[in-house]
Amino acid sequence: SGSVVGCQAVAVLLHYFFLVTFMWMLMEGVVLYVILVRVFIDITVRNRYLIGFTLASYGIPLLYLCITVPLGFALDNGPHYAGDDPQSCWLRYDTHFIWAFIAPVIVIILANIGFFIMAITIMYRHQRSQAHKSKVKHWLKASISLVFVMGVTWIIGILVFNRDLLFVAYIYTIFIGLQGLII
């Protein structure tokens, strides 16, 4: 935290790579949709999807930051990429620039909730023939896995931005740790 410019560079890189991570979670939702709706996909089409997902996952956050970074530095009410306290290099809360991160994350989470609901609906339609006990076990396992893989647990992470809710930070840390374990 000795250099303001270094701290701002770290904050911009964190902003970018976190958005890339969320874009990959969104691509998981898209892949889920493609797998459930378009069952038979040719290998060449699958390779095009992979290239498109990779370009989107790295390119869209880059384009977004090409807009928000200059905007953050152009606004008159202080540097937006230096943390609120001298020990952190992140987006500022007091200037509300943290919303440059939270807003796209909320959009991605909402899209993944839509993909999640669609996946559960499709799986329910195709699982009608199984025995009841087996069906419930399958549903629980699939639902829990999808919640973690699609990043729906990050909804709790949005509440972490309220510094008065320390217990939420603990719950969030547990769920995010489980996300890594499930994946």
Side-chain angles (χ1 to χ4, degrees):
S1 65
S3 167
V4 174
V5 173
C7 183
Q8 289 176 343
V10 167
V12 169
L13 287 172
L14 283 172
H15 192 182
Y16 173 71
F17 286 117
F18 279 139
L19 289 178
V20 167
T21 300
F22 279 100
M23 283 300 297
W24 275 111
M25 285 184 205
L26 178 64
M27 293 305 122
E28 283 293 324
V30 174
V31 165
L32 185 65
Y33 172 79
V34 168
I35 287 172
L36 291 173
V37 173
R38 297 186 62 190
V39 179
F40 301 106
I41 299 176
D42 185 11
I43 189 78
T44 58
V45 173
R46 191 173 3 165
N47 288 341
R48 277 189 262 145
Y49 275 123
L50 182 60
I51 292 168
F53 293 158
T54 302
L55 291 174
S57 294
Y58 288 101
I60 292 172
L62 183 63
L63 290 173
Y64 180 74
L65 287 182
C66 285
I67 296 168
T68 58
V69 170
L71 180 65
F73 286 109
L75 294 175
D76 294 330
N77 53 353
H80 296 287
Y81 278 98
D84 289 337
D85 66 64
Q87 300 299 320
S88 68
C89 298
W90 184 232
L91 302 170
R92 304 245 340 232
Y93 294 88
D94 59 345
T95 63
H96 302 290
F97 201 67
I98 190 70
W99 286 98
F101 174 70
I102 294 175
V105 168
I106 289 173
V107 169
I108 289 170
I109 289 172
L110 290 175
N112 272 348
I113 288 171
F115 286 127
F116 176 74
I117 291 169
M118 182 228 29
I120 295 297
T121 303
I122 290 173
M123 287 181 351
Y124 175 75
R125 288 182 192 154
H126 292 292
Q127 297 298 324
R128 290 185 185 173
S129 61
Q130 290 186 353
H132 182 69
K133 185 177 179 180
S134 161
K135 182 193 248 184
V136 170
K137 185 179 175 182
H138 173 76
W139 268 85
L140 286 173
K141 185 178 177 182
S143 297
I144 290 169
S145 297
L146 283 174
V147 164
F148 284 106
V149 169
M150 297 183 72
V152 176
T153 54
W154 278 84
I155 292 171
I156 299 168
I158 292 170
L159 297 175
V160 172
F161 292 109
N162 183 347
R163 294 180 182 205
D164 297 329
L165 300 174
L166 183 61
F167 71 94
V168 174
Y170 290 118
I171 294 169
Y172 167 72
T173 302
I174 291 167
F175 281 138
I176 293 303
L178 288 173
Q179 180 182 13
L181 183 67
I182 298 287
I183 292 174

